[in-house]
């Protein structure tokens, strides 16, 4: 076999291998076994308050909310819809809304004050 051809094929294989292992930005772990594991792996990074939002901590609304990056929230929403569509929960009212903000580059949530739940 020609040495130039062998070198070219080796380079092609090396580049193909590098391209196959390179992964882009993933806001959650795509290999997470369930919603809870995906939530634990969710990206919470931010630059401004608008980068943050809140998602459900579990299938029942009464489990509360967690502050995450909006890209992670989008990925989690489809996962939540798939896993929690048939979830059995009580329909009682739960005060679990969060006000989200970006603090030191991380999305954080603080419970919404009770007065914000009632019409004025």
């Amino acid at each position: 076999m020609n040495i130039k051809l062998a070198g070219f094929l080796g380079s092609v294989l090396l580049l193909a291998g590098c391209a196959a292992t390179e992964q882009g930005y993933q806001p959650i772990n795509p290999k997470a076994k369930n919603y809870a594991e995906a939530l634990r792996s969710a990206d919470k990074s931010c630059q401004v308050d608008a980068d943050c939002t809140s998602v459900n901590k579990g299938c029942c609304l009464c489990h509360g909310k967690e502050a995450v990056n909006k890209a992670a929230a989008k990925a989690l929403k489809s996962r939540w819809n798939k896993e929690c569509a048939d979830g059995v929960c009580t329909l009682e009212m739960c005060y679990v809304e969060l006000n989200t903000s970006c603090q030191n580059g991380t999305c954080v949530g603080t419970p919404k004050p009770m007065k914000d739940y009632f019409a004025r």
Side-chain angles (χ1 to χ4, degrees):
M1 183 186 287
N2 186 342
I3 191 105
K4 289 182 182 179
L5 180 59
F8 174 73
L9 290 175
S11 298
V12 168
L13 288 174
L14 180 64
L15 289 174
C18 290
T21 59
E22 176 128 0
Q23 294 180 354
Y25 168 71
Q26 296 288 332
I28 64 171
N29 179 359
K31 296 180 182 179
K33 295 176 186 152
N34 54 41
Y35 179 80
E37 189 175 309
L39 178 60
R40 284 192 297 276
S41 72
D43 181 12
K44 295 184 179 187
S45 66
C46 60
Q47 299 295 318
V48 295
D49 289 350
D51 293 342
C52 304
T53 191
S54 62
V55 296
N56 294 322
K57 280 188 177 180
C59 288
C60 290
L61 299 178
C62 292
H63 285 149
K65 299 271 188 171
E66 177 121 1
V68 296
N69 178 287
K70 283 189 176 180
K74 184 176 179 181
L76 287 166
K77 182 178 180 182
S78 63
R79 191 90 188 235
W80 190 87
N81 287 338
K82 181 180 174 186
E83 292 182 28
C84 299
D86 298 328
V88 179
C89 301
T90 61
L91 296 177
E92 67 186 299
M93 177 60 179
C94 299
Y95 299 104
V96 294
E97 296 293 318
L98 291 180
N99 291 325
T100 58
S101 62
C102 182
Q103 296 179 14
N104 298 323
T106 302
C107 292
V108 296
T110 53
K112 187 181 276 189
M114 282 299 252
K115 65 182 174 82
D116 291 352
Y117 287 97
F118 303 104
R120 295 177 195 186

